[in-house]
Amino acid sequence: MNEILEELSGRIVIVGSGLAGLMTALTLAPEPTVIVTRAALGVETSSAWAQGGIAACVGRDDSAALHLADTLAAGDGLCDAKVAARILAEGPAAIAALERVGVEFDRNSAGELSLGLEAAHSLRRIVHAKGDGSGATIVRALVEAVARTPSITVLESYEARRLLLDGDHVAGLLCATGKGTVILPSSRIVLATGGIGGLYDATTNPVGNFGQGIALAARAGAVLADMEFVQFHPTALDSRRWPLALVSEAVRGEGALLLNEKSERFMAEVEGAELAPRDVVARAISAEIARGGRVFLDARQALGNSFAQRFPVIDALCGEAGVDPSHELIPVRPAVHYHMGGVATDEAGRSSVPGLWVVGEAASTGLHGANRLASNSLLEAAVMGIRAARDIADTDASQAKLARGNLSMAAPDLSLVRPIVSRHLGVLRNAGAIHGAIAALLPLFDEDGASADPALVALLIAVFASLRTESRGAHARTDFPLKLPHAQRRTMRLSDALDIARSVPPYSLARSA
Ligand SMILES: Cc1cc2nc3c(=O)[nH]c(=O)nc-3n(C[C@H](O)[C@H](O)[C@H](O)COP(=O)(O)OP(=O)(O)OC[C@H]3O[C@@H](n4cnc5c(N)ncnc54)[C@H](O)[C@@H]3O)c2cc1C
């Protein structure tokens, strides 16, 4: 029989300790909460690795309407404009809330927030902390705030493996710990498990994060949205490091240029040039690499000796790879960076499963559409963490019935799934590749072993990708290069996706390169 942590019964359980999870817990205080997190608090989070900062319309010449216009343009017709407008309008309040819990953002000599520029933003609006150490600075401050908050219990090195239901209502969470499997009884659970980067070889994300929140919610019957939209960051530092380090867009924002191995500025003729939306730049770089070329960022002229001062973290990462960005070219390549899709939620972070909220990158609110605008994700994580907390505080706390049992799950193993996803669901896709992925992933899901959860998340990406017969935002199909006239978001439950996967003709992997 699994041990049930009765002493924590009735508390709100939050899974994940990135910005979304930490903000949810801190906003709920003094309501008792439990944070369940796979590693130490704040560690193994994309949040702590963020460099650029948080987009928020706090500048004197900025407005929520301008921020919305840039977000909708990057989202390539697929943003939910109403949801986006409301989330973006709360940017300045989210910055103030972060400052109240102790985050110190960079300010200029006049004491105003100093603002960076990133790709596809029409003006400077990226609030940052300690230069390019924004994520680490924010997460450190929030972790310290959690330590000062007695109502928050932290369970580190606990991995959420299954949601337990009473009918269709959330009733508890099954977790693996170093000492075995335990159950947390709770009828109010928040998933803040981050992105899916771990599914790919070339990723900038913590490699153990493969979309566990999506797997948990999907198995509990939640509606998923826009799963095919996986954002590739155009400029990961091309080195032996795993995961790949990022060279933030802010470097291009300061004027660095993209060159190929022939020193040609191949983005010069493209609208927006180096600061075009991410999908455009990623496709252009992929094309250079696909023809056997190499791609570099040239910051020598734009930043030169000031590089290390403006971008200390990136400078150190380059140094680790033997590159001095003030005098040398920085080798770059695209890598999986962000997932626009996820568990469908409303504006309060509620999923379709009663008692289940999903916030941050694991959710799909409709803010990002087909392509996230740079630095809108930390903003969404903070705003939605605050909103979900306020919504939960108003809900019924009575405990749902928890069936006793003896459940155990194998630790997730990504080794069989990663090569399939990396080869078939990359920057450029086509029907053969997508169907090949489905054919290879389905048996791994059906075997119900250690590959099942990563295979489930990958299968959802592949099934959604198979249905989108157009190229839009981050979803680029070589067999459907054009955009359909009417953009539509897509939602589906796991059961529907499995039906579709099982009806796909069994293409062999060999035929589907
Ligand atoms: C290198 C890098 C740079 C970035 N730069 C920026 C930027 O400048 N601006 C911006 O807006 N966005 C940036 N992003 C994206 C942004 O950081 C993320 O989208 C955002 O931090 C997601 O926050 P989150 O709280 O949803 O997830 P995360 O911060 O990734 O946290 C997820 C948490 O869930 C835990 N977890 C996962 N599965 C389980 C499980 N089964 N059980 C228990 N715990 C689990 C993880 O360990 C972690 O604690 C960047 C991303 C990367 C990788």
Side-chain angles (χ1 to χ4, degrees):
M1 203 71 85
N2 297 122
E3 184 191 352
I4 299 184
L5 303 183
E6 301 282 7
E7 67 279 16
L8 298 175
S9 179
R11 291 182 174 226
I12 298 155
V13 173
I14 298 157
V15 186
S17 61
L19 177 56
L22 294 172
M23 233 18 215
T24 309
L26 287 165
T27 310
L28 273 162
E31 174 97 36
T33 54
V34 183
I35 298 180
V36 169
T37 191
R38 215 166 52 75
L41 195 70
V43 174
E44 292 290 303
T45 66
S46 289
S47 299
W49 295 1
Q51 296 172 346
I54 307 186
C57 51
V58 291
R60 256 185 266 154
D61 46 354
D62 203 357
S63 69
L66 283 175
H67 193 174
L68 177 64
D70 290 343
T71 300
L72 298 182
D76 207 3
L78 221 63
C79 298
D80 182 323
K82 256 198 219 152
V83 168
R86 292 197 190 128
I87 292 175
L88 299 175
E90 285 173 35
I95 298 293
L98 286 166
E99 287 187 308
R100 277 197 300 279
V101 286
V103 179
E104 287 181 27
F105 290 110
D106 295 337
R107 289 180 178 272
N108 61 22
S109 52
E112 296 161 335
L113 287 166
S114 64
L115 302 174
L117 177 67
E118 288 190 352
H121 285 274
S122 54
L123 73 182
R124 291 187 170 264
R125 66 162 68 94
I126 316 302
V127 179
H128 47 85
K130 292 218 163 47
D132 59 355
S134 298
T137 308
I138 293 167
V139 169
R140 195 177 311 120
L142 299 193
V143 164
E144 284 168 14
V146 167
R148 297 191 298 269
T149 309
S151 60
I152 305 175
T153 301
V154 177
L155 300 178
E156 294 179 325
S157 303
Y158 272 52
E159 186 172 61
R161 293 269 172 86
R162 285 292 178 274
L163 285 167
L164 306 175
L165 299 177
D166 173 12
D168 64 353
H169 199 290
V170 161
L173 185 73
L174 183 79
C175 297
T177 76
K179 297 185 200 128
T181 309
V182 300
I183 290 174
L184 278 162
S186 177
S187 55
R188 295 178 297 169
I189 295 181
V190 184
L191 299 176
T193 50
I196 51 120
L199 288 176
Y200 288 78
D201 284 327
T203 180
T204 63
N205 293 188
V207 294
N209 292 348
F210 64 86
Q212 289 95 321
I214 294 173
L216 295 173
R219 286 184 184 275
V223 173
L224 297 315
D226 300 341
M227 286 291 295
E228 69 273 39
F229 292 105
V230 177
Q231 184 172 77
F232 290 77
H233 196 289
T235 56
L237 178 64
D238 191 3
S239 72
R240 295 221 177 109
R241 201 171 187 272
W242 192 61
L244 293 172
L246 190 70
V247 184
S248 162
E249 230 133 33
V251 176
R252 275 173 284 140
E254 297 299 334
L257 302 177
L258 281 166
L259 305 178
N260 64 19
E261 78 288 359
K262 293 179 260 177
S263 295
E264 290 163 345
R265 198 180 153 210
F266 57 92
M267 290 301 293
E269 303 306 318
V270 178
E271 194 185 337
E274 273 81 2
L275 292 179
R278 278 190 181 162
D279 55 323
V280 176
V281 184
R283 278 200 292 277
I285 295 179
S286 290
E288 291 292 321
I289 292 172
R291 64 152 183 82
R294 291 199 70 194
V295 174
F296 302 91
L297 257 178
D298 183 359
R300 295 172 299 182
Q301 188 104 49
L303 287 149
N305 288 332
S306 66
F307 192 101
Q309 192 195 347
R310 172 66 181 91
F311 298 110
V313 173
I314 302 172
D315 187 63
L317 290 165
C318 287
E320 212 181 272
V323 176
D324 171 4
S326 61
H327 296 105
E328 290 174 298
L329 296 175
I330 309 168
V332 291
R333 59 175 288 196
V336 166
H337 187 57
Y338 186 80
H339 190 209
M340 278 70 73
V343 182
T345 70
D346 68 9
E347 289 181 42
R350 286 183 187 221
S351 76
S352 60
V353 175
L356 185 66
W357 286 257
V358 185
V359 289
E361 193 170 336
S364 180
T365 59
L367 168 65
H368 307 297
N371 188 36
R372 172 188 67 125
L373 181 66
S375 288
N376 266 359
S377 39
L378 286 179
L379 170 72
E380 186 188 46
V383 169
M384 292 307 296
I386 295 170
R387 280 205 186 175
R390 289 183 182 146
D391 188 55
I392 297 165
D394 289 339
T395 56
D396 177 16
S398 61
Q399 175 57 42
K401 259 201 232 97
L402 194 60
R404 286 177 182 267
N406 195 10
L407 295 164
S408 75
M409 309 282 155
D413 176 5
L414 285 128
S415 58
L416 297 178
V417 173
R418 236 178 232 134
I420 302 168
V421 177
S422 304
R423 182 166 174 216
H424 297 283
L425 299 171
V427 177
L428 298 171
R429 302 159 177 186
N430 61 46
I434 295 167
H435 290 164
I438 292 174
L441 291 165
L442 200 48
L444 294 176
F445 171 74
D446 284 339
E447 275 161 22
D448 206 20
S451 303
D453 278 0
L456 177 164
V457 181
L459 205 46
L460 285 164
I461 296 171
V463 168
F464 274 71
S466 73
L467 299 176
R468 187 165 293 279
T469 49
E470 63 167 344
S471 289
R472 181 183 296 281
H475 175 71
R477 287 193 56 158
T478 52
D479 48 352
F480 292 100
L482 301 180
K483 232 177 271 182
L484 292 174
H486 302 293
Q488 265 190 320
R489 298 186 67 199
R490 179 171 278 110
T491 57
M492 217 189 303
R493 289 194 161 80
L494 174 62
S495 52
D496 305 319
L498 288 174
D499 287 347
I500 294 166
R502 293 190 204 293
S503 67
V504 163
Y507 279 70
S508 76
L509 276 174
R511 285 177 54 197
S512 61

